[in-house]
Amino acid sequence: MKYTEQEIEKIVQEVVKHAILNDGNNALKQDISVAETPANNDMQMCDQEGVFNKMSDAIDAAHNTYLTFGNYSMKDRQRFVDAIKRLTLDEKHKLARMVVDETNLGNYEDKILKHELAAMTYGTEILYTSSKTGDTGLSLIEMAPFGVIGATTPVTNPTETIINNSISMIAAGNTVVFNAHPSSKNVCAYLVDRINKVIQEVGGPANIITMVREPSMESLNEMSQSPKINLLVGTGGPGLVRALLKSGKKAIGAGAGNPPVVVDETAIIPKAAKDIIAGHSFDNNIVCILEKEVFVVDRVANELIENMKQNGAFYITKEQTDKLVDLVLEADSGTNPTGCSFQNRKLHIKKQWVGKDAYKYLEQIGVTFSSKPKCIICEVDFNHPFVQLELLMPILPIVRVQNVDEGINLAVKAEHGNRHTAMMHSQNISNISKFAKAINTTIFVKNAPSLAGIGVNSESVISFTIAGPTGEGITTAKTFTRARHCVLVDGFRII
Ligand code: NAD
């Protein structure tokens, strides 16, 4: 008797399903109730591996893969993760170029570093089993996968987030469906294809990560509602995080930030200025953790500004700042404006000005310069929209304060309760502790650029998904596991 490829696929699925059901120890058993997925051949994959025309097919394919993923060992998972890391380092230049060309955000050189960072994401080495023994026996706590994760990625770090999330989530034993930001869909599809191929080259299954070719709010909604998705992870702005939290599913939300910097009179000012400009101007400021506004004690403000200029910042006057406001911000339309109040208007950012090179803003407002600056600095009041809005542009507003307490108070307000990231430059441990406690952010960096918060020249951990609102913090493979307790009550002990 001859079988078609489709029939063979279905038979294999049935065999795998029964093998899993008959294995009482298998963690996949719980998911079989929703395992009625079509065979992969019925799905409309594009000409790229893991990229599907319909979200339902992307979900089914990742779900099918998950059903057998438990058969792979931790060593296998690490091999897949290593393949992603190698691919990232091999293709970092190409990916950086493709991201800049498609999104028109940030700059090529910094994106290369971002890919190097993504390749440093922890794999299985961060997962461990803990145990407790006592008079009544032994208890093991193991880190099990969630299942199929639905992950949404931002336009500001599109490929970096897919690499970082894929490494963490696969190391933890999950498969992943991505809903990429529509303005980065081509480079994301390219990457999903390449990741699937390199994983298969080292003996892994197909469709370990998938995505929909034309991502949209509708496809995101479909992903959030699907019973085959066990966990939602959203990296993006506040609208996305709110939408995921309303889904009724377990959701990890990595939302917006507006990281303030406080500089007090004890800071080593030349170093503070250098660090602030290095962090702020990275990738034209489109990364969520980067310095967005500075509060500096008046006594050292002039020295800080002079040192910033020496490190590539371009200082603009009040009149030029007003012109810049008109260039990069616009009034909210509609009857219920939500932006930042300024001069009797409610303002929000013009998306077309996010993440451009600093000199382009200067050109537009008619300011001449001798060499291309890294960023623009200006002096403003606390209520200025450049302080209040998350600009994601190389424009750094500076607010003078009378003393450190005023600086801390205003910085806490400017962070808007995002609980994301804050920086301080100070040699006074009491001031540092006071600010760290008051601002209560997920990442707090002292006497270094913000990038130290995600492992650049520091002992911190790299991630492109910093879960402030939902509290998981800097996400790693550990974040994407479920704690499962195995309890043995027979007095087994070796002491
Ligand atoms: P964005 O919120 O516009 O888009 C992110 C994703 O969410 C996209 O796929 C988009 O289609 C979707 N989306 C947007 N609004 C939505 C809504 N109302 N409902 C459902 N889905 C929605 O964000 P972006 O411009 O791509 O990225 C920049 C933002 O992301 C900034 O606010 C930045 O701070 C934040 N961000 C946070 C982290 C973090 O780790 N916390 C990392 C990167 C970016």
Side-chain angles (χ1 to χ4, degrees):
M1 182 192 283
K2 282 203 168 170
Y3 291 99
T4 65
E5 264 188 42
Q6 220 164 317
E7 285 165 337
I8 294 170
E9 175 91 21
K10 278 188 175 145
I11 292 167
V12 170
Q13 276 202 347
E14 277 304 303
V15 171
V16 169
K17 191 165 127 183
H18 283 102
I20 290 165
L21 278 170
N22 291 331
D23 176 359
N25 293 324
N26 201 303
L28 301 177
K29 192 174 175 180
Q30 61 192 328
D31 293 290
I32 296 302
S33 56
V34 287
E36 302 309 327
T37 54
N40 287 345
N41 286 353
D42 294 344
M43 302 170 195
Q44 292 175 19
M45 189 153 35
C46 302
D47 50 1
Q48 290 163 306
E49 292 263 349
V51 183
F52 292 84
N53 289 327
K54 293 198 288 185
M55 176 51 94
S56 56
D57 286 348
I59 294 171
D60 284 343
H63 187 262
N64 275 354
T65 303
Y66 180 67
L67 293 178
T68 54
F69 200 32
N71 299 336
Y72 291 88
S73 67
M74 291 291 268
K75 269 192 186 158
D76 291 330
R77 289 189 211 166
Q78 186 58 40
R79 205 170 60 252
F80 308 153
V81 160
D82 288 339
I84 301 175
K85 293 181 176 207
R86 270 195 309 276
L87 167 75
T88 304
L89 295 176
D90 287 349
E91 299 211 5
K92 63 186 178 186
H93 297 102
K94 180 172 186 176
L95 289 167
R97 175 51 58 209
M98 287 175 79
V99 173
V100 176
D101 288 349
E102 185 174 358
T103 66
N104 281 314
L105 301 176
N107 67 68
Y108 170 71
E109 290 74 21
D110 291 340
K111 287 195 191 298
I112 295 170
L113 176 58
K114 281 166 83 175
H115 285 87
E116 288 171 358
L117 283 173
M120 286 163 53
T121 305
Y122 281 131
T124 56
E125 69 270 32
I126 202 165
L127 301 175
Y128 53 84
T129 300
S130 50
S131 63
K132 181 176 178 294
T133 61
D135 292 343
T136 46
L138 163 73
S139 174
L140 288 177
I141 301 145
E142 300 223 65
M143 303 178 102
F146 270 92
V148 187
I149 299 179
T152 306
T153 56
V155 67
T156 46
N157 313 317
T159 43
E160 302 90 333
T161 308
I162 288 187
I163 293 161
N164 167 254
N165 282 184
S166 296
I167 292 175
S168 302
M169 293 170 183
I170 293 170
N174 306 282
T175 62
V176 196
V177 181
F178 284 104
N179 194 73
H181 191 287
S183 305
S184 59
K185 64 185 178 188
N186 296 324
V187 66
C188 290
Y190 170 80
L191 179 62
V192 166
D193 175 67
R194 294 293 295 123
I195 288 179
N196 274 300
K197 283 181 176 147
V198 294
I199 287 177
Q200 286 172 76
E201 279 162 23
V202 295
N207 296 322
I208 205 161
I209 65 170
T210 66
M211 70 172 271
V212 63
R213 188 70 190 82
E214 298 294 337
S216 63
M217 289 297 192
E218 289 70 41
S219 60
L220 180 69
N221 204 24
E222 192 177 347
M223 188 173 88
S224 309
Q225 301 302 320
S226 169
K228 291 174 185 165
I229 299 284
N230 307 91
L231 168 67
L232 293 169
V233 179
T235 311
L240 166 70
V241 174
R242 271 195 304 274
L244 294 188
L245 291 178
K246 278 189 205 148
S247 69
K249 284 201 166 120
K250 159 106 180 152
I252 294 175
N258 195 32
V261 191
V262 173
V263 183
D264 76 9
E265 63 278 23
T266 70
I268 300 168
I269 299 298
K271 179 171 186 306
K274 189 175 175 204
D275 287 354
I276 293 170
I277 297 305
H280 167 78
S281 57
F282 184 74
D283 207 18
N284 294 347
N285 198 247
I286 57 173
V287 183
C288 57
I289 63 158
L290 304 180
E291 292 81 351
K292 298 286 188 289
E293 61 277 337
V294 175
F295 298 92
V296 54
V297 173
D298 190 37
R299 185 142 49 107
V300 291
N302 289 346
E303 189 189 351
L304 184 76
I305 289 169
E306 281 313 309
N307 276 278
M308 284 178 163
K309 289 184 197 168
Q310 286 166 26
N311 282 283
F314 192 98
Y315 183 89
I316 57 170
T317 64
K318 161 127 191 15
E319 196 184 73
Q320 291 164 341
T321 305
D322 289 344
K323 283 189 187 168
L324 197 54
V325 168
D326 290 338
L327 177 71
V328 302
L329 304 181
E330 62 191 351
D332 285 355
S333 54
T335 51
N336 190 18
T338 54
C340 169
S341 294
F342 185 64
Q343 297 173 342
N344 300 321
R345 292 177 295 169
K346 289 264 189 183
L347 298 176
H348 62 257
I349 57 171
K350 285 186 198 163
K351 288 225 162 167
Q352 67 267 33
W353 277 106
V354 167
K356 302 292 175 259
D357 292 337
Y359 77 92
K360 292 189 176 156
Y361 304 84
L362 294 178
E363 279 179 350
Q364 289 293 314
I365 59 170
V367 174
T368 51
F369 47 87
S370 51
S371 61
K372 287 182 182 172
K374 286 186 184 163
C375 66
I376 298 166
I377 53 173
C378 54
E379 287 192 63
V380 295
D381 295 334
F382 170 72
N383 291 319
H384 195 277
F386 284 176
V387 173
Q388 300 300 322
L389 296 172
E390 186 197 30
L391 291 183
L392 301 166
M393 301 173 195
I395 299 171
L396 183 62
I398 299 168
V399 180
R400 288 175 190 253
V401 292
Q402 287 311 306
N403 53 48
V404 70
D405 287 336
E406 187 191 1
I408 290 174
N409 184 28
L410 295 182
V412 169
K413 288 182 181 155
E415 213 269 329
H416 301 307
N418 292 323
R419 295 188 168 193
H420 201 296
T421 300
M423 273 63 62
M424 186 164 197
H425 294 269
S426 171
Q427 295 298 308
N428 182 320
I429 193 79
S430 305
N431 288 349
I432 294 170
S433 302
K434 202 189 285 182
F435 185 34
K437 281 183 188 166
I439 195 127
N440 198 13
T441 44
T442 304
I443 298 177
F444 184 81
V445 178
K446 59 184 175 60
N447 297 327
S450 52
L451 288 165
I454 52 167
V456 179
N457 298 322
S458 78
E459 298 305 320
S460 190
V461 174
I462 174 62
S463 177
F464 283 92
T465 296
I466 320 273
T470 49
E472 291 79 5
I474 301 177
T475 59
T476 64
K478 240 193 279 185
T479 315
F480 306 114
T481 60
R482 294 169 53 229
R484 297 187 61 215
H485 299 250
C486 177
V487 182
L488 187 67
V489 185
D490 66 357
F492 172 75
R493 297 185 78 185
I494 55 168
I495 53 165

